Amino acid sequence: LAPCHTCELCKQLAGMVEKASIEDVMKVLMASRKQDLHQLWNTCSHLVAKSGLPPEVLAKHLPLDVVAKIDDLRLKSSMSRRS
């Protein structure tokens, strides 16, 4: 696929995952990571971060480095709300 088609596809997929269950979002998150689809990764990681699932639960479904990135997003998000 040409880069512009990949971008358009990512936008469409991002719209779909916003309506998906958190379990499905985690699956798409991992697929987007493997395929280097940054926009989709950003959308999914933010949705997982907003889900409120504790790190212990996320660790059952996601690699620990991904759980750490989600925790980092949560920290950044809470800091931005305070300022």
Side-chain angles (χ1 to χ4, degrees):
L1 289 175
C4 61
H5 295 303
T6 303
C7 257
E8 193 54 41
L9 180 62
C10 283
K11 286 178 191 170
Q12 291 174 1
L13 289 170
M16 288 180 195
V17 295
E18 289 179 9
K19 299 173 188 126
S21 70
I22 197 62
E23 291 85 6
D24 288 340
V25 172
M26 286 191 277
K27 291 174 189 170
V28 175
L29 176 72
M30 294 312 300
S32 66
R33 180 184 190 209
K34 288 179 187 163
Q35 298 299 319
D36 238 6
L37 300 171
H38 300 289
Q39 182 179 357
L40 191 56
W41 163 266
N42 286 337
T43 300
C44 291
S45 59
H46 280 87
L47 287 169
V48 173
K50 287 182 195 174
S51 73
L53 290 173
E56 306 80 51
V57 173
L58 295 178
K60 292 178 184 175
H61 303 277
L62 302 169
L64 291 179
D65 65 316
V66 174
V67 174
K69 287 179 183 175
I70 298 218
D71 271 348
D72 196 39
L73 279 175
R74 288 175 172 168
L75 281 173
K76 288 177 183 170
S77 175
S78 67
M79 284 181 190
S80 69
R81 279 191 295 239
R82 280 189 232 143
S83 51

